[in-house]
Amino acid sequence: MRNYTLTELFPTVHYQNKRSIDKHTILNQDEDLPQILMVTSFPPRECGIATYSQDLKNSLDKQFGNSFDIKICALENLNEIHSYSQDVKYILNTDYSETFKLLAKEINCNNKIEMVLIQHEFGFFNKTENNFIEFLNAIIKPIIIVFHTVLPRPSRELKENVQNICMRVSSIIVMTKISASILMNEYEIDENLITVINHGTHLVKSNDREALKTRYRLQGRKICTTFGLMGPGKSIETSLLALPEIIKQHPSVLFLIIGKTHPSLVKMDGETYRKSLEKIVDEFDLSRNVIFINKFLPLNELLDYLHLTDVYLFTSKDPNQAVSGTFSYALSCGCPVISTPIPHALEVLDNSLGIIVDFGDAHQISIEVNKLLNDEDERLNISSKGLHKMAATCWENSAIHHAAKIEALSENKIKIKFSFPEFNLSQINRLTTEVGMIQFSLLDTPDLDTGYTLDDNARALIAMIQFYEIKQENEVLIKIKLYLNFIRKCLQNDNYFLNYVDKNLNFTSQNEETNLEDSNGRAIWALGYLLSQSSILPDEYCEEAKDMFVRAISRAHLVHSTRAMAFIIKGIYYSNVNSISTENNELMIELADRLVQMYRHESNEDWQWFESYLTYANGVLPESLLCAWLTTGHVVYRDIAKSSFDFLLSKTIKNNRINVVSNKNWETNKRDAIKNYCGGEQAIDVTYTILALSKFYFVFNRDKYKRFMEFSFSWFLGNNHLGQIIYNPCTGGCYDGLEEFNVNLNQGAESTISYLMARLEMEKISEYNFKIFASSSALTIS
């Protein structure tokens, strides 16, 4: 065999990732990001791990593109040679032993490469295990290996091979607890090396199953589906043999078999397996009930097919299949799943989430499919539970856990920085009717039966005005007017606002049962904020807001709720931007003095707060006193604002993470009170903290406040005790709460608007820092 040059074996794609300098990249403009080299199969190669790796890379790039740069080394052999995109920097042809040595040398000599992430499947290194071990031995940098297959009951040779691999890596990732258990108990691998990170899944929006069926011309049919690269291991014939009994009860049933034959199988046996399935279809006269979709579907189309599926059939006959991406995707799309007992299914499914059937048992499949097709309520119940179960496995969360592992192994060479998501108003649009913003949502589907509130529409008004400052589009103006009109509806003849409105636009009895001072305060804040932006808004909006503001403020002196007073102070502060009112300033002083009096009454050396407890919306209290100081110059307001805010931050921001006060356990000044309750955290409390931090940063220009803003905002992106996203970038919605063991997946108005307000505040900070950077750069150039 002749000697190969490095260039021949590694056809490196030389390109420069040219990014224009903008407000989100200025911090990295003078430095090259550290690189993580992922060794894996990669598209256009058609295999499950290639798709997995592309999805993982895309998620890591999107969420942590300012932290590190993922480069790809594509695994090939003489039967699998492809042309790649710029994502692929190296190619490792496993049929050539030289390539292992050359790649190891390149990794060691390239100072940009900090770590190696290997996607391992035994088939990748078939007959080259020794070369692979030598490759691992030669690398002097941290290695993370992801085992996609963990075989139970290993032979002596296999056990030694896996042990040799594990001895040479810094960390091991598997996708199920069962795989971790096998590694520990049967391969005797140190559990401290092992991390379980679930196979990623795609976030999806709720879809109308029947509407999708109509779009794909499948209306009136009950749909059973399976998908993936086809081969005998899928045992699709088992489902086909179950169809006759299913058809007897459900003549309209349609079985969709989605996917090409596995390319490696085609090279060896052609389409023999597919033809065997077609023969079964002909033999049992199933042509009206089976469709082969013989292609590798684009992701959006595949997810559509899964959404319109009534029952998903997973019939793998490999009892050692550790994990299945197709199985995960089906569950994450809400498909009721019938599965053979592979380890992944045994770990995820239980009686309420799906059904386990024996390998190769067509009769059992027919019985279980008929049961599900006969019981729509049960299908919906399984679907809902599946969506909740699989939410934590989304690619965004997988990226968070991978990034945390990378940071931990980097010895402080890599610091994780969350990237800001693009703006997405989809959920706000869904929640907004021609009347206003609906209060609650079931997952991302608005629940009109819950009606509307002044609270949500006042917050929505502020957020849309902030958004209009960035993007002055007519559609945004229409929303501003809509929310303003809702506030007008809630203002009564006595100049007092009601809060609760049902779906028929009637005020509910809840208005008589609840203290509405906070709601009135929020409305005054919203109206004041609108008046502060009169230079960019239509005159008619400002005139209407001014009329309501004057009427509502006339009775604000009657308010004694702590947070209501704070909201009103903010409203007056903003209303003063374009028109100062002495009378309103006197009211501000009256309300601020009340807060000062409360603080002096409750505070001591250990408890610097306005009340004997920390509850909700805490950040607005010190922020309002800061606004009062900026308006009046009364130093006492500034001093108490700073001391109370620093106290709040000491309670809620620790170890570079925010943990707002739980709504399940208010924190009190009693020494024996239970503290640090895990869970019960809501988006609105994080947002009020961010709004306050922003105000303090702009006023005092202390980097601490900006850093704390970043920590706080990253709570939405996964920097929380679960390491899970709270903001859903697919829907544009924000989950309603962070609990102890799970996230509340409903995406209602309060949480969704709260996220948008926080995101807009971060945008403001980015714009401000960019202007400082641009100014200093201009000075340097001159």
Side-chain angles (χ1 to χ4, degrees):
M1 183 180 290
R2 74 180 181 87
N3 293 325
Y4 288 82
T5 66
L6 182 66
T7 304
E8 287 176 302
L9 291 173
F10 300 158
T12 306
V13 183
H14 293 287
Y15 73 102
Q16 183 66 35
N17 185 15
K18 297 179 180 177
R19 294 185 295 177
S20 59
I21 296 176
D22 62 24
K23 57 183 173 291
H24 299 307
T25 59
I26 57 174
L27 294 177
N28 295 316
Q29 53 119 15
D30 290 325
E31 60 182 3
D32 291 327
L33 290 172
Q35 293 179 4
I36 312 298
L37 183 64
M38 189 190 302
V39 181
T40 180
S41 61
F42 204 75
R45 183 170 177 174
E46 293 176 340
C47 76
I49 294 178
T51 304
Y52 170 97
S53 298
Q54 185 179 53
D55 287 336
L56 177 60
K57 177 183 172 7
N58 289 343
S59 295
L60 286 167
D61 285 347
K62 194 169 188 178
Q63 293 166 258
F64 303 103
N66 292 328
S67 304
F68 48 76
D69 188 9
I70 300 287
K71 299 296 185 184
I72 299 296
C73 174
L75 290 172
E76 286 193 344
N77 57 52
L78 292 176
N79 293 319
E80 287 280 0
I81 296 176
H82 303 278
S83 296
Y84 296 95
S85 68
Q86 290 183 335
D87 288 331
V88 175
K89 186 171 183 180
Y90 306 106
I91 293 173
L92 174 58
N93 191 314
T94 58
D95 284 334
Y96 297 121
S97 60
E98 295 97 327
T99 61
F100 288 93
K101 298 173 184 176
L102 288 169
L103 180 59
K105 183 177 179 181
E106 170 66 10
I107 291 169
N108 292 336
C109 294
N110 189 333
N111 292 330
K112 292 181 180 179
I113 297 175
E114 292 291 344
M115 196 173 301
V116 181
L117 174 62
I118 300 172
Q119 305 295 335
H120 180 276
E121 180 60 71
F122 292 103
F124 288 159
F125 307 103
N126 187 29
K127 299 180 181 179
T128 60
E129 292 95 343
N130 291 336
N131 291 332
F132 180 60
I133 296 292
E134 289 175 7
F135 168 70
L136 296 177
N137 271 332
I139 294 172
I140 60 175
K141 297 180 180 180
I143 300 172
I144 301 172
I145 193 160
V146 182
F147 282 121
H148 287 256
T149 296
V150 179
L151 296 171
R153 300 174 296 280
S155 65
R156 182 185 211 174
E157 182 182 3
L158 175 59
K159 181 175 180 178
E160 288 178 357
N161 182 38
V162 171
Q163 287 178 333
N164 284 333
I165 292 172
C166 294
M167 286 170 57
R168 291 158 175 81
V169 302
S170 306
S171 181
I172 301 163
I173 293 174
V174 292
M175 297 179 207
T176 65
K177 294 176 184 176
I178 291 176
S179 293
S181 176
I182 292 171
L183 280 179
M184 288 184 288
N185 297 323
E186 299 186 36
Y187 290 84
E188 301 175 24
I189 305 301
D190 182 357
E191 66 177 316
N192 295 315
L193 275 178
I194 303 170
T195 301
V196 177
I197 301 178
N198 291 308
H199 191 297
T201 57
H202 293 279
L203 291 170
V204 293
K205 297 179 181 179
S206 297
N207 277 293
D208 184 324
R209 178 175 283 113
E210 296 308 317
L212 276 176
K213 287 183 181 179
T214 300
R215 188 199 306 174
Y216 286 91
R217 299 180 180 180
L218 299 173
Q219 60 269 33
R221 309 296 295 267
K222 295 294 184 185
I223 306 298
C224 296
T225 301
T226 193
F227 88 92
L229 292 171
M230 286 174 52
K234 301 282 187 181
S235 192
I236 296 171
E237 62 274 13
T238 306
S239 295
L240 289 176
L241 293 173
L243 268 182
E245 289 301 313
I246 298 170
I247 293 168
K248 286 179 183 178
Q249 290 192 34
H250 302 278
S252 67
V253 73
L254 182 64
F255 183 31
L256 302 180
I257 303 172
I258 302 172
K260 298 169 62 174
T261 305
H262 198 292
S264 299
L265 187 63
V266 172
K267 289 176 182 176
M268 291 188 297
D269 298 327
E271 290 287 359
T272 303
Y273 181 65
R274 182 180 296 275
K275 289 176 181 177
S276 72
L277 298 179
E278 292 171 347
K279 185 177 179 180
I280 295 173
V281 171
D282 292 339
E283 181 180 346
F284 289 91
D285 193 21
L286 302 175
S287 60
R288 290 182 299 275
N289 301 91
V290 177
I291 293 179
F292 290 91
I293 301 176
N294 185 15
K295 59 181 179 179
F296 202 83
L297 291 180
L299 178 64
N300 289 343
E301 191 174 346
L302 172 62
L303 296 179
D304 277 350
Y305 275 114
L306 291 177
H307 270 121
L308 61 78
T309 294
D310 294 289
V311 178
Y312 185 83
L313 299 175
F314 182 83
T315 52
S316 168
K317 62 182 180 182
D318 180 3
N320 297 324
Q321 184 172 352
V323 69
S324 166
T326 63
F327 173 86
S328 297
Y329 283 15
L331 274 175
S332 69
C333 286
C335 296
V337 174
I338 295 175
S339 174
T340 49
I342 68 165
H344 193 186
L346 291 173
E347 182 166 310
V348 174
L349 297 183
D350 57 33
N351 291 332
S352 64
L353 276 178
I355 296 166
I356 299 289
V357 295
D358 294 331
F359 293 106
D361 194 329
H363 179 64
Q364 205 175 353
I365 289 174
S366 66
I367 291 173
E368 298 301 339
V369 169
N370 280 328
K371 281 183 185 177
L372 284 176
L373 293 182
N374 286 329
D375 192 342
E376 182 176 6
D377 288 343
E378 180 62 10
R379 295 201 309 274
L380 292 173
N381 180 49
I382 291 174
S383 175
S384 175
K385 290 181 177 179
L387 288 169
H388 282 83
K389 174 91 172 183
M390 298 302 291
T393 70
C394 68
W395 279 115
E396 287 76 5
N397 289 339
S398 178
I400 290 165
H401 296 305
H402 277 85
K405 179 60 64 177
I406 288 168
E407 182 180 46
L409 293 176
S410 72
E411 298 179 347
N412 295 319
K413 294 177 182 178
I414 296 175
K415 293 293 184 184
I416 296 303
K417 303 169 190 171
F418 287 85
S419 301
F420 292 169
E422 296 295 322
F423 287 104
N424 179 358
L425 301 186
S426 297
Q427 184 64 1
I428 286 174
N429 293 336
R430 292 189 74 184
L431 285 163
T432 301
T433 69
E434 68 280 359
V435 173
M437 179 164 283
I438 297 169
Q439 184 176 190
F440 293 126
S441 181
L442 297 173
L443 298 179
D444 61 327
T445 302
D447 185 1
L448 183 57
D449 288 338
T450 64
Y452 308 85
T453 66
L454 171 66
D455 289 335
D456 293 327
N457 284 272
R459 282 186 287 260
L461 178 64
I462 295 169
M464 282 300 107
I465 295 169
Q466 289 178 312
F467 193 77
Y468 189 69
E469 294 173 50
I470 298 171
K471 209 166 186 178
Q472 296 189 12
E473 296 179 348
N474 188 56
E475 182 182 343
V476 182
L477 266 184
I478 291 171
K479 281 191 172 61
I480 291 172
K481 179 62 173 171
L482 184 70
Y483 303 137
L484 184 63
N485 287 345
F486 188 89
I487 294 174
R488 164 71 75 179
K489 173 179 175 57
C490 292
L491 183 59
Q492 304 302 292
N493 292 333
D494 61 357
N495 299 330
Y496 195 67
F497 290 100
L498 297 182
N499 187 40
Y500 300 100
V501 180
D502 67 21
K503 65 180 181 180
N504 298 315
L505 307 186
N506 299 312
F507 291 108
T508 73
S509 59
Q510 207 171 349
N511 290 296
E512 301 164 9
E513 301 160 359
T514 308
N515 187 324
L516 301 181
E517 286 191 354
D518 284 7
S519 302
N520 277 258
R522 286 189 191 91
I524 291 171
W525 168 25
L527 295 169
Y529 190 79
L530 187 151
L531 294 174
S532 74
Q533 300 300 317
S534 60
S535 61
I536 63 171
L537 295 173
D539 290 343
E540 62 175 290
Y541 292 19
C542 300
E543 290 168 5
E544 185 171 3
K546 185 175 182 179
D547 173 67
M548 286 192 280
F549 184 84
V550 169
R551 287 177 57 189
I553 210 78
S554 68
R555 58 177 296 160
H557 64 285
L558 300 173
V559 168
H560 288 275
S561 164
T562 314
R563 283 149 191 78
M565 292 189 292
F567 291 136
I568 293 167
I569 290 170
K570 287 185 66 174
I572 295 171
Y573 167 79
Y574 284 113
S575 73
N576 278 339
V577 168
N578 294 311
S579 178
I580 297 175
S581 165
T582 303
E583 184 178 355
N584 288 346
N585 285 353
E586 289 174 354
L587 173 61
M588 175 188 278
I589 291 170
E590 179 183 347
L591 299 177
D593 283 347
R594 289 184 198 168
L595 291 178
V596 168
Q597 192 174 18
M598 293 177 69
Y599 178 84
R600 287 173 172 167
H601 182 265
E602 293 293 342
S603 65
N604 55 49
E605 184 178 349
D606 300 320
W607 187 264
Q608 290 136 44
W609 196 243
F610 305 86
E611 301 158 317
S612 61
Y613 41 78
L614 288 168
T615 58
Y616 67 97
N618 295 304
V620 73
L621 302 184
E623 184 195 359
S624 68
L625 279 186
L626 190 59
C627 290
W629 172 64
L630 291 170
T631 301
T632 67
H634 292 188
V635 176
V636 66
Y637 301 155
R638 180 200 65 190
D639 292 345
I640 293 178
K642 286 187 70 175
S643 62
S644 62
F645 195 44
D646 286 345
F647 170 76
L648 177 63
L649 295 176
S650 74
K651 294 290 186 180
T652 56
I653 298 183
K654 297 175 182 178
N655 301 320
N656 299 341
R657 176 186 293 172
I658 189 170
N659 296 95
V660 293
V661 178
S662 170
N663 64 5
K664 303 218 171 125
N665 184 51
W666 303 135
E667 184 162 345
T668 74
N669 60 3
K670 296 178 182 177
R671 292 184 180 275
D672 59 348
I674 298 173
K675 298 182 180 179
N676 298 324
Y677 185 91
C678 194
E681 297 181 51
Q682 294 185 303
I684 192 168
D685 293 305
V686 177
T687 293
Y688 281 143
T689 304
I690 290 172
L691 295 179
L693 283 164
S694 177
K695 187 74 70 185
F696 276 75
Y697 173 65
F698 279 116
V699 171
F700 297 112
N701 197 29
R702 290 185 61 187
D703 282 343
K704 175 183 83 169
Y705 294 127
K706 181 163 73 75
R707 288 199 319 274
F708 282 5
M709 278 187 76
E710 292 166 354
F711 298 152
S712 300
F713 185 71
S714 67
W715 179 90
F716 290 101
L717 309 180
N719 184 19
N720 51 61
H721 75 268
L722 289 182
Q724 294 184 27
I725 56 168
I726 308 300
Y727 169 69
N728 183 323
C730 173
T731 64
C734 180
Y735 297 136
D736 279 353
L738 174 69
E739 304 302 340
E740 185 173 4
F741 301 111
N742 65 283
V743 173
N744 180 338
L745 299 181
N746 296 329
Q747 299 160 52
E750 178 182 288
S751 55
T752 297
I753 286 294
S754 293
Y755 166 79
L756 179 60
M757 293 174 77
R759 176 66 181 85
L760 287 162
E761 209 62 37
M762 300 307 295
E763 190 75 6
K764 185 193 300 183
I765 291 291
S766 296
E767 295 279 1
Y768 175 72
N769 289 330
F770 180 63
K771 288 176 182 177
I772 293 175
F773 168 79
S775 175
S776 63
S777 297
L779 288 172
T780 302
I781 293 170
S782 63

